Every structure is written in structure tokens, then in C-alpha cells.
Amino acid sequence: MKTFLFTTMALLGLVLVGSAQQSPTDSLEGKKIVLDEVLVQAIRVTKEFPITFSDLDKDEIAPRNLGQDIPVLMNFLPAVVTTSDAGAGIGYTGIRVRGSDATRVNVTINGIPYNDAESQGTFWVNMPDFASSTESLQLQRGVGTSTNGAGAFGASLNILTDAFSESAYARISSSVGSFNTLRNNLKFSTGLLNNSIEVSGRLSRVTSDGYIDRASSELESYFLQGAYKDDNTLVKALLFGGHEITYQSWFGIDAETLRTNRTFNPAGIYTDENGNTQFYEREEDNYKQDHFQLHWNETISAGWSSNIAFHYTRGRGYFEQFREDDDFATYGFDPITVDGETVDTTDLIRRRWLDNDFYGVVASLNHKKENLDLIFGGGYNVYKGDHFGEVIWARFATNSSIRDRYYDDNSTKTDFNVYAKANYRMDDKWAIFGDLQYRGVGYEANGEDTGLVDDTFNFFNPKAGVTFDLNPNNNFYFSYAVANREPNRNDYENGNPKPERLNDFELGWRYVSPSFQLNANAYYMSYKDQLVLTGELNDVGAPLRANVGDSYRLGVELDANIQLGDKFAIRPNIALSDNRNQDFFFQRDGTLQNLGNTNIAYSPNLVAGNILSYLPTENFQISILSKFVGKQYMGNIDSENSVLESYSQTDINLQYVIETNSFIKSIALSGLINNIFDQDIVSNGYFFTFDDDFSTPGTITTVEGAGFYPQAGINFLLGATINF
């Protein structure tokens, strides 16, 4: 806490404004054309809308973009909490907003849904170094506006990829750091050819050993786009994707191991025939994902424009595991007799595969005139997934052949939505906003974990709000929004989950002046049948959830951007909240008990951050970045065994740009020292309970347990970017 107060104590009452979209320019990579923002105009907002949001553009990301994932680069936005399985921001990373996990944050890339259709999660490890191809992003907290894909129950994040560039450029970027981290990428653009065509691309490779033992990552990615524009048309074709090989580190460690051996990783552990402890060297994920997008935007007339996009995503891969003394029955093996004894368990290595296709179309029609901004939009998407398992080696096996599948499941999900939204300015002070969406979802699955599923959901999601401009500096807003969500695949493991419903009320004030911008908002999010994290994990490390009836989140968020002369800038934020399950029932010691109002899992009451920047010269920047996350529970029963203690982190970021007048246009040198006070941070974990009815005959005792994911102490990244 003291380290956080080092830079933020005097600023906790201030806030960072979610600035309106700005025209992106970048002298190092050629002049950018604002035209690309039409790809996200149907789902993005400005301060003229009654929506709570924050923007982050590529210039703000660049000094810290040294190989870490997008969630880590978003860590200092309001109400955001991030974590990393490997402990250093590379590999599997996660994000929570207002206490809601990644399955409840709707993510789109150029308006195309990115969340996995079944798990509803976002796996940034499949797109390493994607920040290097990001033009800007907008995080809308709460329900936000209607978008494509699953409903937003904590936030929606929309990403705009690299903009059209008029000028040709090439860029080589490398970074090195702690835990043998190495990132290299090559990026280029042809610039505008024949006044209409541009081709650009990126190749990246990121490797790291990770802070946690053996939590290594070997990540490769690519990004290629071709664009055509004329006075009325923009067409963009994009092909991007990645290949990740990461050693598993989702098991966590118990409290005693956390005290004695923070970096211990139990993944792959087994005992060999001589009784020695070993670790299987390929206990890893191996997954490839490729995305294709085709966008066509047309200006029909002075007030009308349209956008249509086709997309296809291909994913395939597996995770490999060593299993010690596993049951024959799991794999369909018959017991055998060895030296006169029946054998029905064996050591084996298995691969659990996921092979999927996701495709569809999204479209929007926009009408703008002086007082009216009207948008019609929607989309239709289809997901087809195959889940199957193979045993690739076994010490003992019967009646099996190579490539036999011991399970073979498939699933299909369809998602149709249509929406209409309008922002109407009644006069120079008042504007009203309306947004109506219908969403229909169909889901079929036949997995052993899910059972037979054939569900259809029909959701109506209305939204309305009002904006009041007191004067050019002060802007007030109020909104009410409804969101509904279907369960994800893992929810069916717990029985017959219900869909969720959220009523979100947002009240905000924005103040904008040249040297001081302020945003303050209060919210009340009321849930019915919310699927909250139980703290438990399934057998592949995915968090499990359960319906809890009535629950709510109530909070205040403040953030500011303060310019102190020409050289200093301060950007503090704070989020205070109360997050409760109402009349929560729990089976403890064999008795169903009403625990009253309990804390919602993974929902800290205080999250705060600050960025203090100093620019001694135009080309040199030093920033001190601070984050504080308050105490949180990993379960919903307020057990002290489920507590994640509060933590603070302070980083230092430097960038120096050397401008030249030669073949090399500039060289940017960057450095990032994370956790400079070497704090023992635990940002994530899991919690479980089970009934023990064996230790004392005739009694049932509820036993609790927990696992923790420690984060790295002080560590660094150094990088250089050469622009041609």
C-alpha cells in the first residue's frame, strides 16, 4: 500500500476522462487516415453518448509495448484488474472489469466478435504481440452500447487494427528482458499506391521462460492487410493469427508452497519407476488460430454510409498431459493380467483436442445529419467445434489403436442479432439516446461434461439515456441498459444453468478543458440469476460458475488527466464498489445455510491506479505507473481461506526517441521496470469446498482449499524500435 501511495495519495479524488476519438497520426509510420474508424463507428461512442468509457490509442501503448499481452497494457485503466498464469504478462493472461471476468467482457476486433463462442473467454495467447497491430481500443464499462457477439456483463472492449497509411514505412522492433524474454517483430507498409491501394503487415515472435517454473511460452504471430480506398469506398482484407506453445501453469499452488517456493509449478509432475520425482517436458498447450476479415464501407450519400464485413476464424490444437496411474475405464481399456495380477490403471500421455470453425457476417447502416446519428446493424455468426481426446502413449493398454479417440464430442452455436440505435440532439444542451437489440442464440452439444444440450435463447436488450451539456466544459449523462447472456459450455457441468439478466444504471459527469479533464460516474448493476465464479476450476483449468439468484454491483469511478505545464502530466483513477450476492445459500457441514449478503467472488472494493509522466524534452519520456487492488474473495461464502490479500505495484517506463534525417528515420529506445519495490503479489487464485463424511462416522464436514497464482517480483524489459 505504501508504494502505491508513493504516487497517488494526493490524487485519489481525481479521474481520467475517457477522451473522444482522436484523429490518429504517427510521424514514425506515415500519416494515418481517419477513414478506418468507420469500421467501428457502429459500436464506438464519444462523450456525446451516455456511456461510460475509456480510450487508449497506439501512441499511449507504444512505450510499454515490449511483448506483454493487451490485458497487461490495459492494466492502468479504471476498474481493471489483470493477471498472468506465468507471472510476467506473457502467455496466458486475463482481465477483469468491475469484478467481471473475461467471459463477461465482450471483445470485438474491427467489429467482429473475438470471444470464444463456447467458453465466452478471450485467449490473447492465440494472438501474441497483437498490440503492435492495434490502432486504438475503447473499453466501455457496464453494458455499453449494442455490439456483436455475447452480451457485455462487465464491459465491452472494441479494438481497431492498423489504419490506412499514406506513406511507406518499415519497422524493426526487438526487446529483451527478465526470464529470458525475447520479442522480435518486423512491420511494413507500402504506403498509398496509385492513390488508392495499400498493403501492410507484421511478423512477430515472442519467447519467455516465465516467472513460474517451466511456464515457458513460444509464440508466433502475423498480420497482413490489403486496403483500397477512393472518395466513397474503403475495402480492407485482413489475415492475421498466431501459433502458441505454452507450458501449462494453471494449477496454482497452495498457501504453504506460496510461502516456501513461490515459483513451484506442479504441472507435469510424476514419479518414475525408481521413485524419483520428474516433470514431463511437454505438458503444454499447442494451438493455432487464423482469422480472415473482409470489410467494405461505402459512403452512399452525404448523410448515409454502410459497412458490411465477412469473417472466418479457424482454430485447432491440443494440450498434452502426462497422467500417472489413470483408470483404464476413462479410456475404454479393458483390465489386463500382468504377472498374475489384474492391472486396471496405467501411466499414459494424452492429448485433448479442439478443432473449430467460426464464421459469419456483420453489417451496419449509418445515417447522420445535423442533429441525428442513427445506426441500424446486426450480424449472424456460426460456430462449429470438435472436442476429442487421444492417448499417444501408455505403459499398459488393451484393445486400442493409434489415433483412437477416447471421447469425440461436437457442438454448434448460432448467434443472430439486430439492433437500432439513435442519438438525437434536441438543442445545444440536451440529447437523447435509444438502443434496441434482439439477439437469438442456439446451442447444441453432446459432451460428457455438458450432457446433451439443445438450448435456444431469445433476448431483448433495450437501452436508453440522456446527455446534458451544461456548457462547452461540462457534460452530464444518465443511462439505463438491459443485457441478457446465455450460459457458456462450462456452466453446463454444474447442471442446468439459467441465462442471466442485468439492469445497468449509469450516472456520469465529464469536465473537459485544455489542461484538465475529469470523468466521474456512479453505477448500479442489478443481476438476476448471475453466473458468478465459484472459485473452482474444472479438469482443464477453466473457472466454474453457478447461478446465485439476486446480486448487485454498486460503485463510483473517478479518473482524470491533468497537464501540469509543458513537462508533467498526471492520470489518476479510482474505483470504489460494493459487490454482493443477496441471501446467498450454501451447503455447509451437511446443512443448507443462508449466509445473507456475501461478497461476489473476485470483486475488490477498491481498485486504483495512476500514471505520472515527465517529459524533460520532446523526445524523452519518463513515467511512473502505480496500481492498487484491494482485498478480494475467491469464493462467495466470505471464507478467510478464500482471501486474496490487497496488493500494490509500481512500474517505471522510459522512452527516448532519436530523430535522424537519413535512411533510418528514427530509433526509439524503451525500458520498463515492473514491480520496482519487489512486492509479493498474488493477483489470482481459486477456491474449492468438498464434503468429508469419512473422517468422523455419521458426520459431514465441509473442507475448504485454495490455490494461488503468484506474480513476478522486480523484472525488466528493454526494447529498441528502428523506423525506416
mmCIF file of all heavy atoms in Angstrom, residues 17 120 303 318 330 342 345 360 372 377 621 634 644:
data_model
loop_
_atom_site.group_PDB
_atom_site.id
_atom_site.type_symbol
_atom_site.label_atom_id
_atom_site.label_comp_id
_atom_site.label_asym_id
_atom_site.label_seq_id
_atom_site.Cartn_x
_atom_site.Cartn_y
_atom_site.Cartn_z
ATOM 1 N N VAL A 17 -10.406 11.290 -17.929
ATOM 2 C CA VAL A 17 -11.530 11.339 -18.842
ATOM 3 C C VAL A 17 -11.369 10.288 -19.929
ATOM 4 O O VAL A 17 -10.271 10.018 -20.391
ATOM 5 C CB VAL A 17 -11.655 12.735 -19.505
ATOM 6 C CG1 VAL A 17 -10.544 13.019 -20.471
ATOM 7 C CG2 VAL A 17 -12.994 12.880 -20.194
ATOM 8 N N GLN A 120 -16.794 -18.401 -24.077
ATOM 9 C CA GLN A 120 -17.010 -16.958 -23.995
ATOM 10 C C GLN A 120 -15.768 -16.206 -23.496
ATOM 11 O O GLN A 120 -15.813 -15.001 -23.269
ATOM 12 C CB GLN A 120 -18.228 -16.623 -23.123
ATOM 13 C CG GLN A 120 -19.520 -17.210 -23.671
ATOM 14 C CD GLN A 120 -20.713 -16.970 -22.790
ATOM 15 O OE1 GLN A 120 -20.641 -16.245 -21.811
ATOM 16 N NE2 GLN A 120 -21.835 -17.593 -23.116
ATOM 17 N N GLY A 303 -25.372 11.868 -46.227
ATOM 18 C CA GLY A 303 -25.805 11.506 -44.883
ATOM 19 C C GLY A 303 -25.861 10.025 -44.599
ATOM 20 O O GLY A 303 -26.188 9.617 -43.479
ATOM 21 N N TYR A 318 -4.210 -28.615 -29.282
ATOM 22 C CA TYR A 318 -4.405 -29.562 -28.184
ATOM 23 C C TYR A 318 -3.591 -29.120 -26.988
ATOM 24 O O TYR A 318 -2.696 -28.272 -27.081
ATOM 25 C CB TYR A 318 -3.964 -30.962 -28.607
ATOM 26 C CG TYR A 318 -2.506 -31.045 -29.016
ATOM 27 C CD1 TYR A 318 -1.497 -31.221 -28.071
ATOM 28 C CD2 TYR A 318 -2.135 -30.917 -30.353
ATOM 29 C CE1 TYR A 318 -0.161 -31.275 -28.433
ATOM 30 C CE2 TYR A 318 -0.803 -30.962 -30.733
ATOM 31 C CZ TYR A 318 0.183 -31.148 -29.766
ATOM 32 O OH TYR A 318 1.512 -31.185 -30.127
ATOM 33 N N THR A 330 -11.508 -44.795 -18.039
ATOM 34 C CA THR A 330 -11.606 -43.464 -18.642
ATOM 35 C C THR A 330 -11.364 -43.515 -20.146
ATOM 36 O O THR A 330 -11.925 -42.726 -20.905
ATOM 37 C CB THR A 330 -10.586 -42.513 -17.991
ATOM 38 O OG1 THR A 330 -10.841 -42.448 -16.585
ATOM 39 C CG2 THR A 330 -10.670 -41.116 -18.585
ATOM 40 N N THR A 342 -4.174 -58.412 -11.761
ATOM 41 C CA THR A 342 -5.039 -57.593 -12.612
ATOM 42 C C THR A 342 -4.555 -56.150 -12.608
ATOM 43 O O THR A 342 -4.323 -55.563 -11.547
ATOM 44 C CB THR A 342 -6.492 -57.649 -12.121
ATOM 45 O OG1 THR A 342 -6.953 -59.005 -12.162
ATOM 46 C CG2 THR A 342 -7.390 -56.765 -12.991
ATOM 47 N N THR A 345 -4.987 -49.712 -14.131
ATOM 48 C CA THR A 345 -4.517 -48.328 -14.195
ATOM 49 C C THR A 345 -3.198 -48.307 -14.957
ATOM 50 O O THR A 345 -2.501 -49.325 -15.047
ATOM 51 C CB THR A 345 -4.296 -47.711 -12.802
ATOM 52 O OG1 THR A 345 -3.245 -48.409 -12.132
ATOM 53 C CG2 THR A 345 -5.570 -47.767 -11.964
ATOM 54 N N GLY A 360 -19.134 -15.840 -40.206
ATOM 55 C CA GLY A 360 -20.377 -15.097 -40.230
ATOM 56 C C GLY A 360 -20.245 -13.776 -40.942
ATOM 57 O O GLY A 360 -19.257 -13.501 -41.638
ATOM 58 N N LEU A 372 -28.981 14.274 -35.727
ATOM 59 C CA LEU A 372 -29.330 12.867 -35.578
ATOM 60 C C LEU A 372 -28.193 11.969 -36.027
ATOM 61 O O LEU A 372 -27.617 12.159 -37.098
ATOM 62 C CB LEU A 372 -30.590 12.549 -36.398
ATOM 63 C CG LEU A 372 -31.051 11.084 -36.394
ATOM 64 C CD1 LEU A 372 -31.509 10.681 -34.995
ATOM 65 C CD2 LEU A 372 -32.178 10.879 -37.415
ATOM 66 N N GLY A 377 -27.952 -2.105 -37.362
ATOM 67 C CA GLY A 377 -26.882 -3.080 -37.518
ATOM 68 C C GLY A 377 -27.280 -4.448 -37.024
ATOM 69 O O GLY A 377 -28.378 -4.663 -36.494
ATOM 70 N N GLN A 621 10.663 10.600 -22.447
ATOM 71 C CA GLN A 621 9.517 10.481 -21.554
ATOM 72 C C GLN A 621 9.842 9.500 -20.435
ATOM 73 O O GLN A 621 10.366 8.414 -20.667
ATOM 74 C CB GLN A 621 8.289 9.988 -22.330
ATOM 75 C CG GLN A 621 7.071 9.688 -21.471
ATOM 76 C CD GLN A 621 5.891 9.208 -22.292
ATOM 77 O OE1 GLN A 621 5.552 9.796 -23.313
ATOM 78 N NE2 GLN A 621 5.276 8.133 -21.845
ATOM 79 N N MET A 634 -12.090 -15.239 -3.247
ATOM 80 C CA MET A 634 -12.112 -16.096 -4.426
ATOM 81 C C MET A 634 -13.355 -16.978 -4.474
ATOM 82 O O MET A 634 -13.567 -17.716 -5.428
ATOM 83 C CB MET A 634 -10.854 -16.965 -4.467
ATOM 84 C CG MET A 634 -9.573 -16.173 -4.595
ATOM 85 S SD MET A 634 -8.105 -17.215 -4.737
ATOM 86 C CE MET A 634 -8.007 -17.942 -3.086
ATOM 87 N N LEU A 644 -7.826 -13.231 -1.256
ATOM 88 C CA LEU A 644 -6.648 -12.702 -1.934
ATOM 89 C C LEU A 644 -6.338 -11.361 -1.289
ATOM 90 O O LEU A 644 -7.160 -10.438 -1.336
ATOM 91 C CB LEU A 644 -6.904 -12.491 -3.429
ATOM 92 C CG LEU A 644 -6.825 -13.694 -4.362
ATOM 93 C CD1 LEU A 644 -7.142 -13.269 -5.788
ATOM 94 C CD2 LEU A 644 -5.465 -14.348 -4.309
#
